[in-house]
Amino acid sequence: MMSRSYTNLLDLAAGNFAALGPSGGGRRRSGSFGMKRMPRVMTVPGPLSDLDDDDDEQAATSSVASDVPSSAVGERLIVVANQLPVVARRRADGRGWVFSWDEDSLLLRLRDGVPDEMEVFFVGSLRADVPPAEQDEVSQTLIDGFRCAPVFLSPELNERFYHHFCKGYLWPLFHYMLPFAAQLSPATEAAPSSDGGRFDRSAWEAYVLANKHFYEKVVEVINPEDDYIWVHDYHLMALPTFLRRRFNRLRIGFFLHSPFPSSEIYRTLPVREEVLRTLLNCDLIGFHTFDYARHFLSCCSRMLGLEYQSKRGYIGLEYFGRTVGIKIMPMGIHMGQLQSVLRLPEQEQKVAELRQRFEGKSVLLGVDDTDIFKGINLKLLAFETMLRMHPKWQGRAVLVQIANPPRGKGKELETIQAEIRVTCERINRDFGQTGYSPVVFIDRNVPSAERLAYYTIAECVVVTAVRDGMNLTPYEYIVCRQGIPGSESAPEVSGPKKSMLVVSEFIGCSPSLSGAIRINPWNIETTAEALNEAISVSEQEKQLRHGKHYRYVSTHDVSYWSRSFVQDLERACKDHFRKPCWGIGLGFGFRVVALDPHFSKLNLDTIVMSYEKAKSRAILLDYDGTLVPQASINKEPSAEIVSIINTLCSDSNNIVSIVSGRSRDSLGPMFASCPKLGLAAEHGYFLRWTRDEEWQTITRTSDFGWMQMAEPVMNLYTEATDGSYIETKETALVWHHQDADPGFGSSQAKEMLDHLESVLANEPVAVKSGQFIVEVKPQVWCQQRSCS
């Protein structure tokens, strides 16, 4: 019966969706989004032609080239994001379109960090509904004039992909909000909501389908031998598997602009392993902070059994012979774009107006999107508490809160908006005076020039988000407070610059702002004290904090971020053309296996021919993981296995032996029905050539007194580690922790290893760690095995 886990990417892309009913026997209508069926061929060979007999398939999947001309030197960076950094507007007469760059898009600004010889090409959707009849013309215009290839999604697909799955499910989940109940509305069965609804299988199908549309657009423009692909954010996490399946050697980077949740949150995602595996088809995965990267690595460890390694400052995950790099680099702002706005003549006038309006007041500023995670309501409560706890600020402190219009919807958002309005009214009623309103609430789209003017006059910026991926508001504020030398808008032009920041510890920029006052926004009282401290500290303190922040922000801008990522992507891909590779697996289980350069595939015909010609054959078999599955609960050999072994043993030209770490008391009874089978127990310490012969030992070691020293140590860790146990052999002690918590078991194993090495330092034994084990065995035996 076919699995209902929807890991078969091709079925999803073809529109063959299994029914959601308990029986799993039915099917939805095929091609519900109008997609063509794709061939069910998942084995994609790399340079080893003998890995696959289908040379035509190899040619078909390896020789795709772009129809779009690339740069003269060949290398391009193709930036793939949900939205293009382009603004599209209808002409006034309704005939055709007018396009311009979105100057506020940081994706556009990442070009500044890319080497001059590397062309940047963008793939993404437009924030405009282009009729199908005009899409070809719009595409050609954007490719020719902007080096952008637009992806057009039908309104139905975009609704399910973006509003339902991305914003309604993934975004809340990645911000630590679990969907305990479905989000319903009168109009639809499951309305898109930023409150976070339950996992919707059809929305996941739409997500995969939309990612396939992006993949198809990339294929149209790519030159796989020369181009680098940089995929952005959680909207396109399925894209790397589509690309890797088509192009084994493609150089792919991914950057997540949102938080990555802890494993306890992430593991609730029904398609958790699928998403991890598709991200691991990248060569480099980027995160804003170490916390986000650590959560991702923990998920890979707990759910896929992958452990990371750190070497010379770089973090990497070994994944089927490939090293997937992990990049930790917070995104920066575009200094030039902000400074160009600050230089505008009208900017100085706007700043002067605001200075006059708030003359004699200490202005605290908040600039946030209106959503359930920005903590605007908590900020207002903290400001209200400060005014009550420190009456000296009544009539002197003003909180200006700019709340950008919400992009989502939902009951919880509506509740928070209502609370914000009530709190603003209460504060202004309780503390307001003639000509003084403690809270100035601006709930509209504020132009960049006006926003920067508020930054310039604010004494402190306050960010109380309960969870946010990066949040560049503090960075923009620092630059505006620095001002432009020689400009009237610069604060205290003739004197030192100063600024203060109060930021939530739950936002991505917090670790890089070491001079900020970090707060837990849920603690209203301590946040109120932080606000008081921020506007009460000495001028020298403000100057020192500002200088420290400005040095960081000015040197770690968006060009530094993109340059660093591209350099690490090049480094991560340097071995792409040195190792043979082979694509295997179905659906999201697809991965590329990188092989040793000297690897050669075993040819079945050659093996059979050699076997038939040989007059004397030695056949050595492992047991666990070879004759029985590693994860099998029943470790007894099946009747079929026993029959095959006896058949091999019946040939007088064969010597068949099983070599295992198991004890002789375990192996002997299991193969009592195989009279001619040889056994090597405990990795060869005990040998028996046939069932009727006596067991032999290869060494006369008889000193096992060290067991009395090692066993109490192992018992100590066994009692403290739930799921672990000790396997006592005649010549060794083995501590197993595969059934323990992965993180805790691994930590305990490392500590036990050090403990045992210390206790047994003067004993003739070796302490070794392996996959979910720590083993102690005689040193003489280990040396003899190494020599053999």
Side-chain angles (χ1 to χ4, degrees):
M1 175 176 164
M2 181 178 168
S3 170
R4 290 172 55 239
S5 65
Y6 290 87
T7 56
N8 194 323
L9 189 64
L10 296 183
D11 273 352
L12 289 177
N16 298 327
F17 309 137
L20 301 182
S23 67
R27 282 192 176 273
R28 293 182 183 268
R29 65 186 185 276
S30 177
S32 59
F33 286 103
M35 303 304 298
K36 295 180 179 178
R37 177 179 294 275
M38 295 177 65
R40 291 179 56 85
V41 179
M42 292 304 295
T43 301
V44 184
L48 297 182
S49 59
D50 62 339
L51 286 176
D52 199 305
D53 296 329
D54 192 348
D55 294 333
D56 293 336
E57 178 68 21
Q58 177 179 352
T61 57
S62 302
S63 62
V64 176
S66 168
D67 292 331
V68 178
S70 62
S71 58
V73 293
E75 282 193 347
R76 283 188 308 175
L77 178 66
I78 299 181
V79 178
V80 191
N82 182 46
Q83 292 183 337
L84 291 172
V86 171
V87 178
R89 295 186 300 273
R90 271 284 186 189
R91 295 185 184 275
D93 58 6
R95 299 179 179 178
W97 295 82
V98 176
F99 301 100
S100 61
W101 289 115
D102 182 359
E103 298 297 332
D104 292 330
S105 172
L106 284 174
L107 284 182
L108 175 64
R109 301 301 179 182
L110 65 77
R111 296 183 303 181
D112 295 349
V114 176
D116 293 338
E117 64 273 12
M118 180 179 283
E119 178 190 356
V120 178
F121 194 96
F122 294 97
V123 175
S125 62
L126 285 170
R127 283 167 287 187
D129 187 11
V130 179
E134 302 177 18
Q135 290 176 1
D136 288 344
E137 182 181 353
V138 166
S139 293
Q140 198 59 50
T141 301
L142 287 173
I143 289 175
D144 294 340
F146 293 83
R147 310 304 292 159
C148 294
V151 178
F152 299 106
L153 304 178
S154 68
E156 179 192 8
L157 178 56
N158 189 62
E159 180 75 9
R160 304 292 293 170
F161 153 66
Y162 180 75
H163 292 288
H164 280 255
F165 195 75
C166 291
K167 296 299 289 184
Y169 183 76
L170 275 183
W171 186 74
L173 183 71
F174 277 30
H175 287 75
Y176 288 73
M177 185 174 182
L178 292 176
F180 291 109
Q183 299 295 329
L184 302 178
S185 76
T188 59
E189 251 184 37
S193 165
S194 59
D195 290 356
R198 287 188 189 138
F199 180 80
D200 181 353
R201 186 67 65 176
S202 64
W204 162 248
E205 294 163 359
Y207 179 85
V208 174
L209 225 53
N211 275 248
K212 181 174 182 291
H213 278 292
F214 280 84
Y215 153 76
E216 290 170 340
K217 183 59 65 173
V218 172
V219 170
E220 290 179 15
V221 302
I222 196 173
N223 183 345
E225 297 299 318
D226 298 320
D227 293 343
Y228 290 83
I229 307 294
W230 189 357
V231 183
H232 287 265
D233 223 0
Y234 62 93
H235 313 87
L236 301 174
M237 291 190 295
L239 181 59
T241 289
F242 279 110
L243 292 170
R244 183 65 69 195
R245 176 184 174 272
R246 185 70 176 268
F247 309 109
N248 287 168
R249 296 179 180 276
L250 192 60
R251 296 168 286 193
I252 308 173
F254 179 90
F255 197 92
L256 183 67
H257 293 269
S258 77
F260 194 94
S262 69
S263 61
E264 292 304 305
I265 297 293
Y266 179 80
R267 68 197 302 178
T268 65
L269 178 64
V271 289
R272 59 192 188 184
E273 291 189 11
E274 291 89 327
V275 172
L276 289 178
R277 291 189 185 281
T278 186
L279 290 178
L280 290 171
N281 274 322
C282 298
D283 298 294
L284 183 67
I285 306 172
F287 301 91
H288 284 306
T289 71
F290 174 71
D291 273 350
Y292 303 160
R294 178 168 55 85
H295 293 160
F296 174 77
L297 294 171
S298 175
C299 290
C300 289
S301 173
R302 289 175 173 271
M303 297 167 204
L304 302 180
L306 302 176
E307 298 296 335
Y308 74 91
Q309 294 181 338
S310 182
K311 185 177 180 181
R312 296 183 179 177
Y314 296 104
I315 300 175
L317 277 168
E318 287 297 320
Y319 187 61
F320 291 97
R322 295 171 49 246
T323 300
V324 180
I326 304 297
K327 175 74 174 175
I328 301 168
M329 175 60 67
M331 191 177 189
I333 59 175
H334 190 267
M335 298 284 293
Q337 196 264 343
L338 289 178
Q339 291 173 345
S340 65
V341 175
L342 294 175
R343 287 191 179 95
L344 296 174
E346 58 269 26
Q347 189 70 10
E348 295 184 6
Q349 180 182 353
K350 183 62 180 175
V351 170
E353 291 174 358
L354 292 178
R355 287 192 189 282
Q356 183 178 4
R357 177 181 174 185
F358 297 105
E359 186 176 3
K361 305 293 189 299
S362 294
V363 178
L364 297 98
L365 176 65
V367 180
D368 303 280
D369 293 334
T370 303
D371 65 48
I372 59 178
F373 299 110
K374 292 302 187 288
I376 298 175
N377 52 337
L378 301 177
K379 186 186 307 178
L380 291 168
L381 293 174
F383 181 68
E384 180 183 29
T385 303
M386 185 196 76
L387 293 179
R388 292 191 189 280
M389 295 171 61
H390 303 278
K392 64 180 181 178
W393 294 115
Q394 296 178 18
R396 295 173 53 197
V398 176
L399 173 62
V400 178
Q401 177 61 55
I402 298 175
N404 301 317
R407 288 179 285 181
K409 50 189 175 181
K411 285 186 177 181
E412 191 165 348
L413 179 58
E414 293 172 1
T415 302
I416 290 176
Q417 287 179 292
E419 181 186 350
I420 290 172
R421 287 192 295 269
V422 170
T423 307
C424 287
E425 293 170 1
R426 184 178 66 247
I427 295 173
N428 286 336
R429 182 181 64 248
D430 294 349
F431 302 101
Q433 305 169 9
T434 302
Y436 167 69
S437 295
V439 176
V440 177
F441 189 72
I442 306 172
D443 57 345
R444 57 175 171 81
N445 277 316
V446 176
S448 298
E450 183 180 354
R451 186 181 77 252
L452 267 56
Y454 274 106
Y455 284 144
T456 304
I457 61 100
E459 191 170 333
C460 174
V461 153
V462 186
V463 183
T464 55
V466 297
R467 191 69 61 181
D468 208 351
M470 185 61 193
N471 199 314
L472 297 174
T473 293
Y475 288 13
E476 294 180 346
Y477 167 65
I478 293 298
V479 173
C480 291
R481 289 294 287 176
Q482 181 72 15
I484 305 297
S487 170
E488 293 294 327
S489 65
E492 301 83 35
V493 173
S494 59
K497 310 300 185 294
K498 58 186 180 181
S499 63
M500 284 300 295
L501 288 170
V502 176
V503 300
S504 166
E505 62 189 53
F506 302 118
I507 64 176
C509 66
S510 176
S512 60
L513 298 171
S514 55
I517 301 175
R518 298 193 182 99
I519 49 97
N520 173 6
W522 297 105
N523 191 328
I524 303 300
E525 289 74 20
T526 57
T527 303
E529 287 297 340
L531 298 180
N532 172 63
E533 180 186 352
I535 54 181
S536 300
V537 297
S538 66
E539 297 299 298
Q540 182 182 12
E541 181 77 8
K542 294 177 182 178
Q543 293 163 15
L544 290 173
R545 290 175 185 255
H546 172 82
K548 186 175 187 179
H549 289 155
Y550 184 74
R551 285 191 295 273
Y552 177 84
V553 172
S554 60
T555 55
H556 292 73
D557 59 0
V558 66
S559 63
Y560 177 88
W561 169 74
S562 62
R563 179 168 56 253
S564 179
F565 189 90
V566 171
Q567 288 174 350
D568 277 12
L569 180 58
E570 291 176 337
R571 179 189 57 79
C573 300
K574 61 182 175 63
D575 290 333
H576 267 37
F577 297 95
R578 300 178 185 175
K579 290 185 177 181
C581 57
W582 191 14
I584 62 173
L586 294 172
F588 283 111
F590 177 83
R591 65 273 188 196
V592 168
V593 179
L595 307 170
D596 185 272
H598 303 293
F599 171 85
S600 60
K601 183 188 176 185
L602 289 176
N603 185 286
L604 185 58
D605 294 336
T606 303
I607 294 172
V608 172
M609 186 182 301
S610 300
Y611 181 89
E612 292 175 344
K613 287 182 177 180
K615 300 300 181 183
S616 179
R617 315 180 192 99
I619 302 174
L620 307 180
L621 303 172
D622 186 22
Y623 187 70
D624 293 283
T626 303
L627 299 183
V628 295
Q630 193 75 48
S632 175
I633 296 177
N634 181 12
K635 296 297 185 179
E636 294 289 328
S638 66
E640 182 182 10
I641 291 294
V642 171
S643 174
I644 292 173
I645 290 176
N646 281 328
T647 300
L648 290 172
C649 292
S650 64
D651 191 329
S652 59
N653 292 331
N654 291 343
I655 298 176
V656 184
S657 295
I658 291 178
V659 182
S660 173
R662 287 178 170 270
S663 67
R664 55 179 173 175
D665 292 337
S666 172
L667 288 176
M670 285 195 296
F671 292 97
S673 58
C674 302
K676 296 183 179 181
L677 176 65
L679 295 177
E682 299 193 23
H683 299 296
Y685 188 89
F686 295 105
L687 297 175
R688 191 180 74 181
W689 295 104
T690 66
R691 183 187 61 187
D692 298 329
E693 294 186 36
E694 295 295 323
W695 287 95
Q696 305 173 14
T697 59
I698 65 168
T699 179
R700 296 184 179 276
T701 300
S702 58
D703 183 10
F704 292 100
W706 54 265
M707 283 190 173
Q708 298 176 5
M709 302 170 62
E711 193 166 16
V713 175
M714 287 187 165
N715 282 329
L716 179 69
Y717 286 89
T718 303
E719 292 172 5
T721 311
D722 187 39
S724 65
Y725 65 94
I726 301 173
E727 181 187 1
T728 303
K729 301 179 181 180
E730 293 182 64
T731 62
L733 291 175
V734 186
W735 187 73
H736 296 262
H737 62 93
Q738 65 263 31
D739 295 327
D741 176 87
F744 185 57
S746 177
S747 174
Q748 290 288 80
K750 292 176 183 177
E751 188 173 336
M752 179 195 285
L753 187 70
D754 292 339
H755 195 163
L756 287 170
E757 286 178 341
S758 175
V759 170
L760 302 173
N762 297 320
E763 298 297 321
V765 296
V767 184
K768 304 288 185 180
S769 63
Q771 188 174 20
F772 302 118
I773 66 165
V774 174
E775 185 173 17
V776 186
K777 61 178 70 173
Q779 197 172 46
V780 174
W781 171 218
C782 294
Q783 292 173 347
Q784 288 180 350
R785 287 186 63 199
S786 300
C787 293
S788 61

